[in-house]
Amino acid sequence: MATLNSRKSSRSYKIIDSMNAHETMTVVDPSTQGTFHVVAYDDSGLRRELAALETGDSVDLTLDRAGIRANVWQARRADASTSAS
């Protein structure tokens, strides 16, 4: 279960809105149908990898709350790989 500040374990998320010009994207946790707006990234390499993915692709990530705003998250690498489905 998610805590207020972090989704501590990595999970597989499905991209429902690919990265836009403002470098934000929206993902959904298929197991809970929870939607997360990703606005920050652990590093520029992860940001580039996620930018290359398209709507419908899946990726393993760990999410941490980004600041105090509601439902905005920072993506951290779950492992070294992402997967398209």
Side-chain angles (χ1 to χ4, degrees):
M1 175 149 176
T3 67
L4 289 177
N5 295 321
S6 180
R7 294 179 60 92
K8 294 287 185 195
S9 61
S10 67
R11 295 177 186 234
S12 180
Y13 295 92
K14 186 172 185 177
I15 298 171
I16 56 173
D17 286 320
S18 58
M19 194 176 295
N20 63 26
H22 301 286
E23 298 184 344
T24 66
M25 63 191 309
T26 306
V27 299
V28 65
D29 179 342
S31 66
T32 65
Q33 295 304 306
T35 303
F36 302 88
H37 304 287
V38 180
V39 300
Y41 307 90
D42 223 15
D43 56 50
S44 60
L46 177 59
R47 182 185 43 76
R48 281 191 305 275
E49 288 175 31
L50 294 176
L53 299 177
E54 299 179 9
T55 299
D57 287 346
S58 293
V59 62
D60 290 335
L61 297 170
T62 299
L63 298 179
D64 294 314
R65 189 165 301 278
I68 59 173
R69 295 185 58 194
N71 201 24
V72 291
W73 299 84
Q74 176 175 347
R76 287 190 296 122
R77 212 175 283 278
D79 58 36
S81 65
T82 58
S83 63
S85 59

